[in-house]
């Protein structure tokens, strides 16, 4: 799954365990630049107990990602 999104984009991430997070993309890490040759994405959630913290996850943890306009 390609999880490249531009910094500043607002997205909704649904994880493989059905939890969701809505946040702003901070940065993307290519498979070439990460451990295990898998893409990673870091977002800053806009609400909930993780609000304003950086949350990093990899492509294997994600079910779907939607851009929120």
């Amino acid at each position: 799954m390609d999880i490249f999104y531009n910094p500043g984009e607002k997205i909704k991430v649904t994880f493989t365990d059905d939890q969701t997070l809505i946040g702003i993309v901070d940065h993307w890490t290519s498979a070439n630049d990460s451990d295990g040759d898998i893409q990673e994405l870091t977002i800053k959630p806009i609400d909930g107990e993780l609000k304003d913290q950086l949350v990093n996850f990899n492509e294997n943890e994600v079910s779907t990602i939607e851009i929120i306009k």
Side-chain angles (χ1 to χ4, degrees):
M1 165 183 263
D2 185 21
I3 61 171
F4 173 80
Y5 291 87
N6 291 313
E9 280 189 299
K10 185 177 179 182
I11 61 172
K12 176 182 178 184
V13 182
T14 303
F15 295 94
T16 55
D17 64 0
D18 291 327
Q19 292 187 47
T20 61
L21 254 173
I22 296 174
I24 306 299
V25 174
D26 185 74
H27 67 277
W28 169 78
T29 305
S30 73
N32 293 333
D33 293 327
S34 70
D35 294 334
D37 293 326
I38 52 177
Q39 297 175 77
E40 297 177 1
L41 193 62
T42 302
I43 67 171
K44 190 179 277 193
I46 60 172
D47 59 11
E49 57 185 68
L50 297 176
K51 182 179 179 180
D52 296 329
Q53 297 180 40
L54 293 177
V55 176
N56 180 271
F57 50 88
N58 70 53
E59 63 185 302
N60 296 331
E61 299 172 289
V62 175
S63 251
T64 62
I65 299 177
E66 304 168 47
I67 295 175
I68 298 175
K69 305 246 176 190

